Amino acid sequence: MLLSATLSKPTAEAEKVFNRPVIKIKLTASASASGYSYYMEQFTEKQVFHQHLTEDEASEFLEKHAGKTFKNCVERTEDKEITILANKKGKITKLERKLAIKNTQGAAAGATFKASKLSHKKNYLIEEGVPVPFLVLLGVMTDEGKVISSRYDKFRQINRFLEFIDDILPEVQDQITAEGGHPVRIADFGCGKSYLTFAVHYFLTEIKKIPCEIEGLDLKKDVIDYCNQIVEKLGLKNLAFNTGDISEYSGKSNPDIVITLHACDTATDYALKYAVSHEAKAILSVPCCQHQVNKQLEKAEKSENLAEEFAPLLKWGIIREKFASLVTDAIRGEWLEKENYRVQMLEFIDIEHTPKNILIRAIRKQKEKAKEDINQNKLAEVLKIQPEILKN
Protein backbone atom coordinates (compact mmCIF):
# COMPACT_ATOMS: atom_id res chain seq x y z
CA MET A 1 0.00 0.00 0.00
CA LEU A 2 1.19 3.53 -0.82
CA LEU A 3 2.23 5.45 2.30
CA SER A 4 3.55 8.62 0.68
CA ALA A 5 4.60 10.19 -2.59
CA THR A 6 6.60 13.30 -3.43
CA LEU A 7 6.52 14.85 -6.90
CA SER A 8 9.16 17.41 -7.84
CA LYS A 9 10.86 19.06 -10.82
CA PRO A 10 7.71 20.31 -12.56
CA THR A 11 7.58 20.63 -16.34
CA ALA A 12 6.72 23.87 -18.12
CA GLU A 13 3.11 22.67 -18.36
CA ALA A 14 2.66 22.23 -14.59
CA GLU A 15 1.64 25.83 -13.91
CA LYS A 16 -1.10 25.65 -16.57
CA VAL A 17 -2.36 22.31 -15.25
CA PHE A 18 -2.63 23.45 -11.63
CA ASN A 19 -3.34 27.16 -12.26
CA ARG A 20 -0.50 28.10 -9.92
CA PRO A 21 3.34 27.89 -9.98
CA VAL A 22 3.57 24.56 -8.13
CA ILE A 23 7.13 23.42 -7.41
CA LYS A 24 6.40 20.27 -5.38
CA ILE A 25 3.49 18.05 -4.37
CA LYS A 26 3.33 15.67 -1.41
CA LEU A 27 0.74 12.95 -0.80
CA THR A 28 0.52 11.31 2.62
CA ALA A 29 -1.72 8.44 3.66
CA SER A 30 -4.14 9.12 6.49
CA ALA A 31 -6.82 7.01 8.13
CA SER A 32 -10.56 7.65 7.89
CA ALA A 33 -13.44 5.68 9.31
CA SER A 34 -14.62 4.68 5.86
CA GLY A 35 -11.30 3.64 4.35
CA TYR A 36 -7.92 4.90 3.25
CA SER A 37 -7.52 8.48 2.09
CA TYR A 38 -4.67 10.79 1.21
CA TYR A 39 -3.75 14.29 2.24
CA MET A 40 -2.21 16.33 -0.59
CA GLU A 41 -0.07 19.46 -0.25
CA GLN A 42 0.77 21.62 -3.28
CA PHE A 43 3.77 23.86 -2.65
CA THR A 44 4.56 27.12 -4.42
CA GLU A 45 7.42 29.42 -3.43
CA LYS A 46 5.25 31.26 -0.91
CA GLN A 47 2.16 29.15 -0.20
CA VAL A 48 0.87 25.65 0.46
CA PHE A 49 -2.50 24.47 -0.86
CA HIS A 50 -4.28 21.51 0.72
CA GLN A 51 -6.66 18.85 -0.58
CA HIS A 52 -7.97 15.41 0.41
CA LEU A 53 -8.11 12.49 -2.03
CA THR A 54 -9.66 9.05 -1.90
CA GLU A 55 -7.42 6.05 -2.61
CA ASP A 56 -8.68 5.87 -6.21
CA GLU A 57 -8.20 9.61 -6.75
CA ALA A 58 -4.64 9.42 -5.41
CA SER A 59 -3.86 6.50 -7.74
CA GLU A 60 -5.29 8.37 -10.73
CA PHE A 61 -3.37 11.52 -9.77
CA LEU A 62 -0.04 9.70 -9.69
CA GLU A 63 -0.77 7.89 -12.93
CA LYS A 64 -1.51 11.21 -14.61
CA HIS A 65 1.37 13.29 -13.23
CA ALA A 66 4.27 11.10 -12.05
CA GLY A 67 7.02 11.31 -14.70
CA LYS A 68 4.78 13.49 -16.86
CA THR A 69 3.79 16.79 -15.27
CA PHE A 70 6.61 16.24 -12.76
CA LYS A 71 9.93 14.75 -13.87
CA ASN A 72 10.67 13.20 -10.49
CA CYS A 73 8.41 11.17 -8.20
CA VAL A 74 9.37 9.14 -5.14
CA GLU A 75 6.74 6.74 -3.79
CA ARG A 76 7.03 4.78 -0.55
CA THR A 77 5.08 1.64 0.37
CA GLU A 78 5.48 -0.58 3.42
CA ASP A 79 8.41 -2.44 1.85
CA LYS A 80 9.53 -0.48 -1.23
CA GLU A 81 10.74 2.88 -2.44
CA ILE A 82 9.81 3.55 -6.06
CA THR A 83 11.47 6.38 -8.00
CA ILE A 84 9.96 7.54 -11.28
CA LEU A 85 12.22 9.69 -13.47
CA ALA A 86 11.71 11.40 -16.82
CA ASN A 87 14.58 12.65 -18.98
CA LYS A 88 14.59 15.67 -21.32
CA LYS A 89 13.09 13.59 -24.14
CA GLY A 90 10.24 12.41 -21.94
CA LYS A 91 11.49 8.85 -21.50
CA ILE A 92 10.27 7.49 -18.16
CA THR A 93 12.43 5.25 -15.99
CA LYS A 94 11.11 3.39 -12.96
CA LEU A 95 13.49 2.30 -10.20
CA GLU A 96 12.55 0.15 -7.21
CA ARG A 97 14.45 -0.32 -3.97
CA LYS A 98 13.38 -2.76 -1.28
CA LEU A 99 13.22 -1.45 2.26
CA ALA A 100 14.27 -3.55 5.22
CA ILE A 101 11.11 -4.38 7.13
CA LYS A 102 12.81 -4.61 10.51
CA ASN A 103 12.94 -1.28 12.36
CA THR A 104 12.58 0.87 9.24
CA GLN A 105 10.62 4.07 9.12
CA GLY A 106 8.50 2.73 6.27
CA ALA A 107 7.54 -0.44 8.16
CA ALA A 108 6.76 1.54 11.28
CA ALA A 109 4.62 3.95 9.30
CA GLY A 110 2.77 1.08 7.67
CA ALA A 111 2.11 -0.62 11.00
CA THR A 112 0.97 2.64 12.59
CA PHE A 113 -1.33 3.40 9.68
CA LYS A 114 -2.96 -0.04 9.75
CA ALA A 115 -3.39 0.12 13.51
CA SER A 116 -4.93 3.57 13.14
CA LYS A 117 -7.44 2.27 10.62
CA LEU A 118 -8.40 -0.69 12.82
CA SER A 119 -8.80 1.41 15.96
CA HIS A 120 -10.30 4.54 14.38
CA LYS A 121 -13.80 4.02 15.80
CA LYS A 122 -14.58 6.86 18.17
CA ASN A 123 -17.56 7.96 20.19
CA TYR A 124 -18.59 11.26 18.63
CA LEU A 125 -21.13 13.70 20.05
CA ILE A 126 -23.03 13.34 16.79
CA GLU A 127 -23.01 9.59 16.23
CA GLU A 128 -22.04 7.93 13.01
CA GLY A 129 -24.71 5.61 11.65
CA VAL A 130 -27.64 7.69 12.91
CA PRO A 131 -29.21 9.91 10.20
CA VAL A 132 -28.99 13.61 11.04
CA PRO A 133 -31.25 15.71 8.76
CA PHE A 134 -28.98 18.72 8.28
CA LEU A 135 -25.94 16.52 7.58
CA VAL A 136 -27.92 14.61 4.97
CA LEU A 137 -29.01 17.84 3.24
CA LEU A 138 -25.45 19.23 3.35
CA GLY A 139 -24.06 16.09 1.76
CA VAL A 140 -22.09 14.79 4.74
CA MET A 141 -24.29 11.76 5.42
CA THR A 142 -26.37 9.36 3.36
CA ASP A 143 -30.07 8.88 4.12
CA GLU A 144 -29.05 5.84 6.17
CA GLY A 145 -26.71 7.88 8.37
CA LYS A 146 -23.45 6.68 6.84
CA VAL A 147 -20.78 9.35 6.62
CA ILE A 148 -19.72 9.86 3.00
CA SER A 149 -16.06 8.95 2.57
CA SER A 150 -14.97 12.25 1.05
CA ARG A 151 -16.75 14.20 3.82
CA TYR A 152 -15.41 12.32 6.81
CA ASP A 153 -12.94 15.09 7.67
CA LYS A 154 -15.84 17.56 7.78
CA PHE A 155 -17.77 15.18 10.05
CA ARG A 156 -14.74 14.93 12.33
CA GLN A 157 -14.27 18.72 12.33
CA ILE A 158 -17.91 19.26 13.30
CA ASN A 159 -17.65 16.87 16.23
CA ARG A 160 -14.38 18.39 17.41
CA PHE A 161 -15.98 21.82 17.46
CA LEU A 162 -18.96 20.49 19.42
CA GLU A 163 -16.52 19.20 22.04
CA PHE A 164 -15.33 22.79 22.53
CA ILE A 165 -18.96 23.95 22.84
CA ASP A 166 -19.68 21.21 25.36
CA ASP A 167 -16.64 22.24 27.43
CA ILE A 168 -17.73 25.85 27.85
CA LEU A 169 -21.48 25.25 28.35
CA PRO A 170 -21.40 24.82 32.16
CA GLU A 171 -19.68 28.19 32.74
CA VAL A 172 -21.89 29.94 30.19
CA GLN A 173 -25.05 28.51 31.75
CA ASP A 174 -23.90 29.50 35.23
CA GLN A 175 -23.49 33.10 34.08
CA ILE A 176 -26.88 33.02 32.33
CA THR A 177 -28.51 31.71 35.51
CA ALA A 178 -26.86 34.49 37.53
CA GLU A 179 -28.45 37.01 35.15
CA GLY A 180 -31.93 35.58 35.68
CA GLY A 181 -31.99 32.97 32.92
CA HIS A 182 -32.71 32.95 29.18
CA PRO A 183 -32.02 30.69 26.17
CA VAL A 184 -28.35 30.37 25.21
CA ARG A 185 -27.78 33.05 22.56
CA ILE A 186 -25.15 32.38 19.93
CA ALA A 187 -23.84 34.50 17.06
CA ASP A 188 -21.81 32.81 14.31
CA PHE A 189 -19.92 35.46 12.34
CA GLY A 190 -18.75 34.51 8.86
CA CYS A 191 -20.85 31.36 9.01
CA GLY A 192 -20.45 30.40 5.34
CA LYS A 193 -22.35 27.19 4.51
CA SER A 194 -22.99 26.89 8.25
CA TYR A 195 -22.04 23.29 8.92
CA LEU A 196 -21.05 24.31 12.45
CA THR A 197 -24.04 26.60 12.97
CA PHE A 198 -26.46 23.80 12.16
CA ALA A 199 -24.38 21.38 14.22
CA VAL A 200 -24.45 23.59 17.32
CA HIS A 201 -28.22 24.08 16.97
CA TYR A 202 -28.74 20.32 16.61
CA PHE A 203 -26.42 19.55 19.53
CA LEU A 204 -28.12 21.99 21.90
CA THR A 205 -31.73 21.30 20.93
CA GLU A 206 -31.71 17.58 20.09
CA ILE A 207 -28.88 16.16 22.20
CA LYS A 208 -28.51 18.47 25.23
CA LYS A 209 -32.14 19.66 25.21
CA ILE A 210 -31.02 23.20 25.99
CA PRO A 211 -33.12 26.15 24.71
CA CYS A 212 -31.11 28.34 22.36
CA GLU A 213 -31.32 31.19 19.88
CA ILE A 214 -28.73 31.15 17.10
CA GLU A 215 -27.97 33.59 14.31
CA GLY A 216 -25.51 33.12 11.45
CA LEU A 217 -24.07 36.10 9.59
CA ASP A 218 -22.20 36.16 6.30
CA LEU A 219 -21.52 38.56 3.42
CA LYS A 220 -22.64 36.15 0.69
CA LYS A 221 -26.36 36.47 0.02
CA ASP A 222 -26.61 33.26 -2.01
CA VAL A 223 -25.07 31.25 0.83
CA ILE A 224 -27.39 32.83 3.41
CA ASP A 225 -30.43 32.17 1.20
CA TYR A 226 -29.40 28.53 0.92
CA CYS A 227 -29.03 28.22 4.71
CA ASN A 228 -32.44 29.75 5.29
CA GLN A 229 -33.93 27.28 2.80
CA ILE A 230 -32.54 24.43 4.89
CA VAL A 231 -33.99 26.02 8.04
CA GLU A 232 -37.40 26.21 6.39
CA LYS A 233 -37.20 22.72 4.89
CA LEU A 234 -36.29 21.14 8.24
CA GLY A 235 -38.66 23.34 10.23
CA LEU A 236 -35.91 24.48 12.61
CA LYS A 237 -36.87 26.90 15.36
CA ASN A 238 -34.79 29.75 16.81
CA LEU A 239 -32.20 29.54 14.03
CA ALA A 240 -31.83 32.37 11.51
CA PHE A 241 -29.30 33.51 8.93
CA ASN A 242 -28.73 37.07 7.76
CA THR A 243 -26.54 38.83 5.25
CA GLY A 244 -24.24 41.45 6.72
CA ASP A 245 -20.77 42.70 7.56
CA ILE A 246 -19.34 41.83 10.98
CA SER A 247 -17.94 45.35 11.37
CA GLU A 248 -21.43 46.84 11.00
CA TYR A 249 -23.47 44.16 12.78
CA SER A 250 -25.91 45.07 15.53
CA GLY A 251 -27.93 42.21 17.00
CA LYS A 252 -31.18 42.46 18.95
CA SER A 253 -29.71 40.84 22.07
CA ASN A 254 -26.20 40.40 23.40
CA PRO A 255 -24.90 36.95 22.45
CA ASP A 256 -23.71 34.59 25.17
CA ILE A 257 -21.33 32.82 22.79
CA VAL A 258 -19.64 34.29 19.72
CA ILE A 259 -18.27 31.90 17.09
CA THR A 260 -15.95 32.72 14.21
CA LEU A 261 -14.57 29.98 12.01
CA HIS A 262 -11.98 31.18 9.48
CA ALA A 263 -13.32 34.73 9.37
CA CYS A 264 -10.80 36.26 6.99
CA ASP A 265 -8.10 38.65 8.21
CA THR A 266 -9.50 41.61 10.21
CA ALA A 267 -13.02 40.13 10.22
CA THR A 268 -11.83 38.06 13.18
CA ASP A 269 -10.83 41.27 15.00
CA TYR A 270 -14.23 42.86 14.38
CA ALA A 271 -15.90 39.73 15.73
CA LEU A 272 -13.71 39.69 18.86
CA LYS A 273 -14.36 43.39 19.47
CA TYR A 274 -18.10 42.87 19.06
CA ALA A 275 -18.03 39.93 21.47
CA VAL A 276 -16.16 41.93 24.11
CA SER A 277 -18.19 45.13 23.75
CA HIS A 278 -21.41 43.12 24.08
CA GLU A 279 -20.10 41.15 27.06
CA ALA A 280 -20.18 37.72 25.44
CA LYS A 281 -19.60 35.05 28.04
CA ALA A 282 -17.53 32.88 25.73
CA ILE A 283 -15.70 33.20 22.42
CA LEU A 284 -14.60 30.41 20.08
CA SER A 285 -12.54 31.75 17.20
CA VAL A 286 -10.47 30.00 14.53
CA PRO A 287 -8.65 32.87 12.78
CA CYS A 288 -7.62 32.92 9.14
CA CYS A 289 -5.55 34.87 6.62
CA GLN A 290 -3.68 37.40 8.75
CA HIS A 291 -2.89 39.58 5.73
CA GLN A 292 -2.91 42.89 7.60
CA VAL A 293 0.02 42.13 9.91
CA ASN A 294 1.87 40.26 7.16
CA LYS A 295 1.80 43.38 4.98
CA GLN A 296 2.83 45.60 7.89
CA LEU A 297 5.78 43.32 8.66
CA GLU A 298 6.82 43.34 5.02
CA LYS A 299 6.72 47.13 4.99
CA ALA A 300 8.68 47.35 8.25
CA GLU A 301 11.30 44.92 6.93
CA LYS A 302 11.78 46.91 3.74
CA SER A 303 12.11 50.15 5.69
CA GLU A 304 14.94 48.52 7.70
CA ASN A 305 13.60 50.04 10.90
CA LEU A 306 13.37 46.72 12.73
CA ALA A 307 16.00 45.17 14.94
CA GLU A 308 18.25 42.89 12.91
CA GLU A 309 17.31 39.93 15.15
CA PHE A 310 13.98 39.76 13.32
CA ALA A 311 15.57 39.55 9.86
CA PRO A 312 15.44 35.71 9.55
CA LEU A 313 11.71 35.75 10.38
CA LEU A 314 10.92 38.36 7.73
CA LYS A 315 13.36 37.49 4.97
CA TRP A 316 11.35 34.69 3.34
CA GLY A 317 7.70 35.17 2.45
CA ILE A 318 6.45 31.81 3.70
CA ILE A 319 8.21 32.24 7.07
CA ARG A 320 6.96 35.81 7.43
CA GLU A 321 3.41 34.64 6.68
CA LYS A 322 3.52 32.03 9.45
CA PHE A 323 5.20 34.48 11.82
CA ALA A 324 2.53 37.11 11.07
CA SER A 325 -0.17 34.56 11.83
CA LEU A 326 1.33 33.67 15.22
CA VAL A 327 2.00 37.30 16.11
CA THR A 328 -1.57 38.31 15.24
CA ASP A 329 -3.16 35.59 17.34
CA ALA A 330 -0.77 36.11 20.26
CA ILE A 331 -1.69 39.81 20.35
CA ARG A 332 -5.39 38.93 20.10
CA GLY A 333 -5.00 36.59 23.05
CA GLU A 334 -3.27 39.22 25.18
CA TRP A 335 -5.90 41.79 24.22
CA LEU A 336 -8.68 39.44 25.34
CA GLU A 337 -6.89 38.79 28.64
CA LYS A 338 -6.72 42.54 29.30
CA GLU A 339 -10.43 42.69 28.52
CA ASN A 340 -11.11 40.35 31.42
CA TYR A 341 -11.22 37.00 29.62
CA ARG A 342 -9.51 33.76 30.47
CA VAL A 343 -7.80 32.72 27.22
CA GLN A 344 -6.55 29.42 25.85
CA MET A 345 -4.89 28.69 22.51
CA LEU A 346 -5.91 25.20 21.42
CA GLU A 347 -5.47 22.89 18.46
CA PHE A 348 -8.78 22.80 16.62
CA ILE A 349 -8.07 19.84 14.38
CA ASP A 350 -4.95 17.89 13.42
CA ILE A 351 -2.64 19.91 11.17
CA GLU A 352 -2.92 17.22 8.47
CA HIS A 353 -6.58 18.12 8.03
CA THR A 354 -6.37 21.91 7.95
CA PRO A 355 -3.51 24.42 8.11
CA LYS A 356 -5.73 26.86 10.03
CA ASN A 357 -5.80 24.89 13.26
CA ILE A 358 -5.42 27.37 16.16
CA LEU A 359 -8.60 27.96 18.12
CA ILE A 360 -8.83 30.89 20.52
CA ARG A 361 -11.11 29.98 23.43
CA ALA A 362 -11.98 32.83 25.78
CA ILE A 363 -14.27 32.75 28.83
CA ARG A 364 -15.32 36.01 30.46
CA LYS A 365 -14.33 36.41 34.10
CA GLN A 366 -17.25 37.48 36.25
CA LYS A 367 -15.64 39.76 38.85
CA GLU A 368 -12.15 40.83 37.84
CA LYS A 369 -11.58 43.95 35.79
CA ALA A 370 -8.98 44.86 33.19
CA LYS A 371 -6.05 46.78 34.70
CA GLU A 372 -4.00 47.85 31.69
CA ASP A 373 -4.40 49.95 28.58
CA ILE A 374 -5.71 47.33 26.16
CA ASN A 375 -4.44 49.26 23.14
CA GLN A 376 -0.80 49.02 24.25
CA ASN A 377 1.19 45.95 23.34
CA LYS A 378 4.98 45.64 23.61
CA LEU A 379 5.26 43.03 20.87
CA ALA A 380 3.38 45.28 18.44
CA GLU A 381 5.58 48.22 19.39
CA VAL A 382 8.80 46.29 18.84
CA LEU A 383 7.61 44.99 15.46
CA LYS A 384 6.25 48.43 14.51
CA ILE A 385 2.82 47.07 13.60
CA GLN A 386 -0.73 48.02 14.51
CA PRO A 387 -3.12 45.05 14.27
CA GLU A 388 -6.79 45.86 13.90
CA ILE A 389 -7.52 44.48 17.38
CA LEU A 390 -5.44 47.29 18.94
CA LYS A 391 -7.15 50.13 17.07
CA ASN A 392 -9.71 52.27 18.87
Side-chain angles (χ1 to χ4, degrees):
M1 181 204 139
L2 180 71
L3 297 177
S4 66
T6 301
L7 297 89
S8 57
K9 296 185 178 180
T11 65
E13 296 297 311
E15 184 169 347
K16 294 180 181 178
V17 172
F18 295 95
N19 294 317
R20 58 176 67 104
V22 177
I23 57 174
K24 182 175 69 174
I25 292 179
K26 291 180 66 176
L27 278 79
T28 308
S30 61
S32 71
S34 50
Y36 297 122
S37 62
Y38 291 84
Y39 178 66
M40 182 168 71
E41 299 170 282
Q42 297 181 12
F43 295 84
T44 67
E45 289 287 353
K46 296 183 178 181
Q47 292 177 289
V48 184
F49 299 86
H50 306 264
Q51 185 179 347
H52 294 278
L53 304 177
T54 64
E55 189 172 13
D56 288 341
E57 288 170 341
S59 179
E60 291 173 8
F61 183 90
L62 291 173
E63 177 66 24
K64 183 176 181 180
H65 298 293
K68 299 169 186 174
T69 314
F70 290 84
K71 297 177 183 179
N72 194 336
C73 175
V74 178
E75 301 176 4
R76 289 180 70 92
T77 68
E78 288 129 314
D79 61 353
K80 287 189 295 187
E81 184 179 272
I82 304 165
T83 302
I84 301 170
L85 302 169
N87 62 19
K88 292 181 180 180
K89 294 183 179 180
K91 181 181 177 181
I92 297 175
T93 302
K94 197 173 197 179
L95 306 172
E96 292 189 9
R97 178 172 69 90
K98 287 189 176 181
L99 300 173
I101 299 297
K102 186 177 180 180
N103 294 327
T104 63
Q105 183 179 358
T112 302
F113 184 76
K114 288 182 176 178
S116 176
K117 181 177 184 288
L118 292 172
S119 62
H120 188 85
K121 185 68 175 177
K122 178 180 177 180
N123 293 322
Y124 288 116
L125 292 174
I126 292 181
E127 294 182 17
E128 188 176 1
V130 179
V132 177
F134 84 89
L135 288 177
V136 174
L137 280 178
L138 289 172
V140 177
M141 276 185 173
T142 65
D143 291 336
E144 294 75 32
K146 181 180 179 181
V147 178
I148 295 170
S149 175
S150 61
R151 307 311 304 278
Y152 196 86
D153 287 337
K154 176 60 70 175
F155 179 74
R156 182 171 175 267
Q157 181 195 61
I158 288 169
N159 275 284
R160 180 62 176 142
F161 193 80
L162 292 180
E163 290 174 6
F164 288 116
I165 291 288
D166 200 31
D167 286 344
I168 65 174
L169 270 178
E171 287 189 77
V172 170
Q173 289 183 291
D174 285 347
Q175 292 191 40
I176 290 174
T177 300
E179 293 176 353
H182 58 256
V184 178
R185 298 167 182 150
I186 299 175
D188 186 353
F189 293 131
C191 60
K193 291 184 178 179
S194 302
Y195 293 93
L196 298 185
T197 326
F198 284 111
V200 172
H201 182 270
Y202 178 85
F203 176 64
L204 293 178
T205 58
E206 301 298 327
I207 297 177
K208 302 291 285 188
K209 307 298 182 183
I210 296 174
C212 63
E213 297 172 357
I214 302 178
E215 180 179 4
L217 185 78
D218 200 276
L219 287 170
K220 298 177 182 177
K221 186 178 183 303
D222 57 335
V223 171
I224 291 300
D225 288 344
Y226 177 68
C227 292
N228 280 320
Q229 288 171 15
I230 293 177
V231 170
E232 185 176 354
K233 188 170 185 177
L234 297 179
L236 303 178
K237 304 297 183 183
N238 300 317
L239 176 60
F241 294 92
N242 291 297
T243 305
D245 191 321
I246 297 172
S247 63
E248 300 173 354
Y249 176 76
S250 178
K252 295 178 181 179
S253 303
N254 287 351
D256 300 303
I257 302 173
V258 168
I259 296 170
T260 69
L261 179 69
H262 297 162
C264 190
D265 199 16
T266 56
T268 295
D269 299 300
Y270 293 130
L272 295 180
K273 286 182 175 181
Y274 180 90
V276 168
S277 65
H278 290 77
E279 299 183 336
K281 299 164 183 62
I283 302 167
L284 295 174
S285 177
V286 181
C288 181
C289 310
Q290 290 85 344
H291 296 308
Q292 184 201 40
V293 168
N294 190 21
K295 290 178 181 177
Q296 290 180 1
L297 286 173
E298 182 180 16
K299 184 177 180 180
E301 191 268 340
K302 289 180 178 178
S303 68
E304 299 182 350
N305 289 328
L306 286 180
E308 62 181 14
E309 288 82 359
F310 289 106
L313 291 168
L314 305 178
K315 181 178 181 180
W316 295 282
I318 190 170
I319 299 296
R320 187 180 65 245
E321 182 180 1
K322 292 178 183 294
F323 180 57
S325 175
L326 294 173
V327 166
T328 304
D329 291 339
I331 290 174
R332 285 166 172 163
E334 285 200 327
W335 182 84
L336 285 168
E337 285 182 334
K338 291 177 181 179
E339 282 283 15
N340 206 33
Y341 281 78
R342 187 175 73 253
V343 178
Q344 292 174 291
M345 296 286 174
L346 304 168
E347 183 180 71
F348 173 38
I349 209 77
D350 291 344
I351 192 66
E352 67 179 75
H353 296 287
T354 172
K356 310 295 184 182
N357 74 323
I358 290 179
L359 181 139
I360 302 173
R361 180 166 71 185
I363 306 293
R364 190 181 62 163
K365 300 175 184 178
Q366 291 179 271
K367 295 182 179 180
E368 298 178 35
K369 294 183 178 181
K371 300 176 182 179
E372 303 176 63
D373 183 346
I374 63 172
N375 294 318
Q376 296 296 316
N377 185 281
K378 291 182 179 179
L379 179 58
E381 291 175 4
V382 170
L383 291 173
K384 303 186 187 303
I385 57 174
Q386 188 182 22
E388 183 63 39
I389 200 71
L390 298 181
K391 295 180 180 179
N392 291 320

